[in-house]
Amino acid sequence: LNLEIALKLKNQLEKKGITVVMTRETDAGLYEENAQNKQVQDLQRRCQLIQDTGPACAVSIHQNSYSDESVKGAQVFYYRSSAKGQELAEQIQAALREYADPDNKREAKGDATYYMLKNTAVPLVIVECRASEGRGVPEYTCRGGGGRDRELFGEKSMSRHMACPRAERMLY
């Protein structure tokens, strides 16, 4: 699902003339099969790719879940000391609310513990799309479920909010 969301967003951003570099375009991770800790190697390689590519900003799309049914809605995280990351995160959070989930009351949130936020020099945000599984049914608030895909990824969409200021290049 993360890749599906990222590819749709890539398509919309490229239509606007923004070069998008993907960390992956298949469901394969960025780790070696014999790696001792695949998740760590994957994150390290993503950070290295961001460093090597030098984008104006980077967006990492994830699916979170909580067993507490009261926790709902997508949430965007940024590195706590990054003003540009905070600006981007707030823009994306507002766009998610406007185009995918008008009832979402969550706010963009600064963090200093997430590996990718700590280990990249460019403004990077983490978009956590799924925030509730209430009764075992996932709620995908970045996907624009219930026929909202067109609104979420169409011409008048959140993709217009997701470019970094003066960005010509983004990395997902």
Side-chain angles (χ1 to χ4, degrees), residues 22-151:
M22 302 285 285
T23 57
R24 64 187 182 97
E25 294 198 46
T26 68
D27 277 334
L30 300 181
Y31 54 82
E32 296 172 16
E33 281 303 317
N34 63 350
Q36 191 170 20
N37 188 325
K38 293 176 182 175
Q39 182 179 15
V40 169
Q41 187 176 58
D42 186 82
L43 291 172
Q44 290 170 337
R45 288 183 172 178
R46 287 173 195 266
C47 289
Q48 186 63 51
L49 181 59
I50 291 168
Q51 181 178 321
D52 293 347
T53 307
C57 64
V59 176
S60 186
I61 298 171
H62 298 264
Q63 302 297 319
N64 59 356
S65 64
Y66 296 97
S67 57
D68 181 351
E69 290 185 39
S70 68
V71 179
K72 295 183 181 196
Q75 187 168 26
V76 185
F77 295 88
Y78 60 92
Y79 191 58
R80 191 178 326 167
S81 63
S82 172
K84 289 182 179 179
Q86 180 178 358
E87 179 183 2
L88 179 61
E90 289 172 351
Q91 291 173 358
I92 293 171
Q93 188 75 53
L96 286 166
R97 187 174 298 115
E98 181 178 352
Y99 295 102
D101 186 10
D103 296 327
N104 184 353
K105 304 297 184 219
R106 302 185 89 182
E107 298 293 329
K109 184 176 181 181
D111 187 276
T113 62
Y114 291 161
Y115 184 87
M116 289 186 69
L117 295 176
K118 293 188 318 184
N119 291 286
T120 54
V122 303
L124 180 135
V125 296
I126 296 173
V127 181
E128 292 284 1
C129 294
R130 178 177 37 168
S132 178
E133 289 196 17
R135 298 193 185 120
V137 180
E139 175 184 317
Y140 300 105
T141 54
C142 289
R143 191 176 189 185
R148 297 194 69 159
D149 240 15
R150 191 171 332 188
E151 293 173 45

